[in-house]
Amino acid sequence: METILIEGRDATIKDVALVARYGAAVALSEEALERVGASRAVVERCVDEELIRYGITTGFGKFCDVVISGDSNAALQKNLIMSHAVGVGDPLPDEAVRAMMFLRANALAVGHSGVRPETVGALVDMLNEGVVPIVPEKGSLGASGDLAPLSHVALALCGMGECRYRGKRLPAAEALTAAGLKPVVLSAKEGLALINGTQCMTAIGALAAFDAWKLARTADLAAALSAQALRGIVDAYDERVHAVRGQFGQSESAAFLRALLEGSALTTRQGELRVQDAYALRCAPQVHGASRDAIGYVYDVVSREINAVTDNPLIFLNPEDPSGGDIISGGNFHGQPVALAMDFLGIACAELANISERRLERLVNPALSNGLPAFLVKEGGLNSGFMIVQYTAASLVSENKVLAHPASVDSIPSSANQEDHVSMGTIAARKARQILGNARTVLALELLAACQAVDLLDASEGLSPPTLAAYRTLRSAVPMVERDRVMYPDIEAATALLADGALLRAAEEALGGEET
C-alpha cells in the first residue's frame, strides 16, 4: 500500500478509509511543512511583540479578554488540553480515532493554524506507529469544534491520558515510549490549534459515507435477490420509466437492478403472474435512488470538510513580510454543514432498512409470498424458521426511526453564552453510524431470507449470474436452514460479509465491474 502524502488540500474519503482502517502510512509533503513553518513565524512574532490575539496571548471562550503573559504560554496550552479532555462514554473505535488524527494533521498542513512543523510531525508519527489515543465518544457540542474528543488526542500526544498500542491499553507515556516516540511540549497557539476543529464528526462522517455508498448498492442487490424469490416483475425497472422522471439516483438504481437481473429465469413480466408488484419491489429504484442522491450530497459535504481549515483564530500570511500577517478570529469550527449532512445520511440509511424489512416481510408471510412456505421453513409449526428474524428486522427499523430524529436542530448555549449556538454535529455523526449499522444488519437479514426462499424453490440455478455469485458467497458462510437452529451466528456471518463488501464484490465481478 502506497504512503499517502498529506498536502492539506486534496485528501479524499477513500484516503481516510485507507489510513483509518487499513493502516496506510502517511507523510507530510515538503510544501506543507513550508506553509506550516511560515504560519508559525507569525505566531512567534505575535508572542515576541506581546500583541493581543485570541488564543495566543489570551484565554479561551469567555476568558478571551484575559491577557496571558509570554512566560505562561506553555502552561496555558497544557491547561487547555487537560481541562478540555472531559469526554465520557465508551471509547470511539480505533478507526474513528485514526481518522481524526489523519484529518487533524491534514488541516494543520494547510498552514493557517500556527503550529510548529515538529508538532504536526509528532501527530503523524503516532499515526504511523499505531499509537491510538483512547477517546470517549461523548462530550462534543460540535462548536467550538470537537473540543473534548480532540483534547483526548492532544492529551496523548503530550504523554497524558491513555492509548491503545499493539492490542494493549496503556498510559500514553508508556505507549509513546514503547513506540520509540517522545511526548510533545506544546508552545503558543498549539493547544488550541490541535483541538479547535470538526475532525471528530468529520472522521466518523467520512467512514460512514464510505460505508453508506456500499450499503446503497447492497440494497439493490438484496432487492434483486428478493425479486427473484418472489417472481418479481421487471417491467417496473424499464429505463424509460425512470428517464421520464429524471432523478439521477433513481435511474442509477434502476440501471443496477436491470444489470443484476439480466439473465434470470425467475423474474416475470407484467401480466404473466400479476399486473403489478407491491411497492417494496416496484418502487425499489425510487426509494433506493433517493437515498443514493442523499448519500451523494453527504459525500460532497464531507469531501470538502476533510480538506477544510476549521480552527480559530486563523493566520493569513503577508507575502511582503515573512513573519507578518493577519490573525483573524472566525467561526470555521462550527459543525453545522457536517451536522445537517449527518442527519441526512442517517435518514437515507434508515429508509434503505425500512423498505428492506418490507421485502423481508413479504418473503416470510404466506399471504404475500407467492406460494413460499410460511416463515421460510419446512415442517412449519414444529419449526419457526425465519419468524423471529423478521421481528429483529422490525426492531432495528423501529430503533432507526428514533435515531433518525435530527440532532442538528438542537442547540444549548455554552461558555457563559459566548458560544450561544452549537451544531451537535458529532451526535449526528454518531447516530448516522448507528443507523447505518442497523440498516446493514436488516439488509443481511433480507439476504438470508431471500437465499432461503431460493433454496426452498430449488431454484438457485435460475438466478441471474451476478445474484448467483452473491448467493454462493453467502452460502459459503451460511448454509440453508433445514430445520430450526441457533441463528444468531448466521446473522453475524452474513452481516460481516456485507460490512466487508464480499457479496457486492462477487456480484460486481460477475458483471465485469470493479471491486467494491
Side-chain angles (χ1 to χ4, degrees), residues 24 128 137 159 336 375 414 482 487 504:
N128 285 335
E137 65 180 355
Q336 196 72 8
F375 304 111
S414 58
E482 297 284 355
M487 291 184 69
L504 189 56

Side-chain angles (χ1 to χ4, degrees), residues 13-222:
I13 289 175
K14 183 179 179 180
D15 290 338
V16 176
L18 288 173
V19 172
R21 285 190 177 151
Y22 305 111
V26 298
L28 289 159
S29 73
E30 289 300 321
E31 292 81 1
L33 288 170
E34 289 175 7
R35 292 194 301 268
V36 171
S39 70
R40 180 63 193 176
V42 177
V43 170
E44 291 179 353
R45 178 175 178 178
C46 177
V47 173
D48 291 342
E49 297 182 5
E50 298 182 349
L51 303 177
I52 306 302
R53 298 292 184 270
Y54 173 72
I56 301 175
T57 54
T58 75
F60 310 102
K62 183 63 177 176
F63 293 131
C64 62
D65 294 323
V66 178
V67 178
I68 307 297
S69 69
D71 294 341
S72 301
N73 221 303
L76 172 69
Q77 304 304 314
K78 183 178 180 180
N79 289 345
L80 174 70
I81 299 304
M82 293 191 298
S83 67
H84 286 44
V86 292
V88 297
D90 295 332
L92 285 169
D94 285 0
E95 66 174 31
V97 180
R98 286 181 57 81
M100 287 170 62
M101 296 166 74
F102 173 62
L103 293 181
R104 196 72 207 124
N106 191 61
L108 296 173
V110 181
H112 293 289
S113 301
V115 299
R116 293 169 297 167
E118 53 265 36
T119 300
V120 190
L123 188 60
V124 168
D125 289 342
M126 279 183 69
L127 191 56
N128 285 335
E129 293 299 326
V131 180
V132 183
I134 301 296
V135 179
E137 65 180 355
K138 300 178 183 179
S140 176
L141 297 175
S144 300
D146 289 311
L147 291 174
L150 286 168
S151 290
H152 283 273
V153 174
L155 198 69
L157 188 69
C158 298
M160 298 179 283
E162 294 180 283
C163 294
R164 205 176 335 270
Y165 180 64
R166 295 186 176 177
K168 295 181 180 180
R169 184 166 173 167
L170 302 169
E174 291 183 22
L176 291 172
T177 299
L181 303 176
K182 294 182 179 180
V184 171
V185 177
L186 299 178
S187 185
K189 176 68 166 64
E190 291 190 314
L192 190 59
L194 285 167
I195 71 172
N196 204 351
T198 61
Q199 280 68 42
C200 182
M201 68 182 81
T202 306
I204 297 169
L207 293 171
F210 184 83
D211 290 340
W213 179 242
K214 184 165 55 180
L215 191 76
R217 291 177 68 79
T218 303
D220 290 339
L221 175 60

